[in-house]
Amino acid sequence: MVQVAVCGPATASQAELAHARRVGELLAERGATVLCGGGGGVMSAVAAGARARAGLVIGVRPDDGTAPGPAAEVSATVVTNMGQARNAILVWSADAVIAVGGSWGTLSEVALGLRRGGIPVVVLDGWRIVGADGAPVAGPLYVSTPEEAVSAALPG
């Protein structure tokens, strides 16, 4: 089974939430397991979308699992108690990474995916990475719709 990490901010815009939910639906329809951070915002929205289509969702939590606050409705949880270092576990467990929107944590997940290499790293309405000369850095696949994001993450 293919595993796709979907990353994004816990505090997200309505557009980011809608995109994340649709990405979750599409991934589940394609039979992919969704990996997310297990929190609120984009993480909760992608989980809701996947679960609405009977998809499997694994939450990789940064805490010990007892923190109050919004949590995604996941099928199973991996508790790391590693803070943001859990981003590496999330990315290394994935066959593709889709970032929806942007926050500092999301940027680190994009960077980790690119650094890892060998997997698609897709950015939907998020960070645009440029070099010192202002030219786009090769690597991320920039898309405008959830459908494009899933097609880029799961080619074929």
Side-chain angles (χ1 to χ4, degrees):
M1 181 173 278
V2 175
Q3 298 187 148
V4 178
V6 180
C7 310
T11 303
S13 70
Q14 288 303 311
E16 290 167 340
L17 296 174
H19 280 154
R21 182 177 176 90
R22 183 66 180 139
V23 164
E25 292 170 352
L26 294 166
L27 288 171
E29 289 169 4
R30 299 268 308 260
T33 296
V34 172
L35 306 176
C36 71
V42 163
M43 298 168 279
S44 184
V46 74
R51 300 275 293 169
R53 299 291 194 271
L56 179 63
V57 182
I58 309 298
V60 181
R61 298 286 306 170
D63 53 25
D64 66 0
T66 62
E73 180 185 335
V74 298
S75 308
T77 302
V78 175
V79 175
T80 68
N81 205 28
M82 296 177 65
Q84 292 299 307
R86 77 91 183 335
N87 294 353
I89 294 168
L90 186 65
V91 168
W92 274 95
S93 299
D95 299 300
V97 174
I98 298 174
V100 179
S103 65
W104 290 116
T106 308
L107 181 59
S108 76
E109 290 156 330
V110 169
L112 287 165
L114 293 170
R115 183 80 172 177
R116 172 183 166 187
I119 62 170
V121 178
V122 183
V123 177
L124 172 58
D125 292 338
W127 292 97
R128 296 285 176 162
I129 305 168
V130 299
D133 62 357
V137 172
L141 307 168
Y142 297 105
V143 298
S144 300
T145 68
E147 290 76 13
E148 291 173 335
V150 172
S151 291
L154 302 174

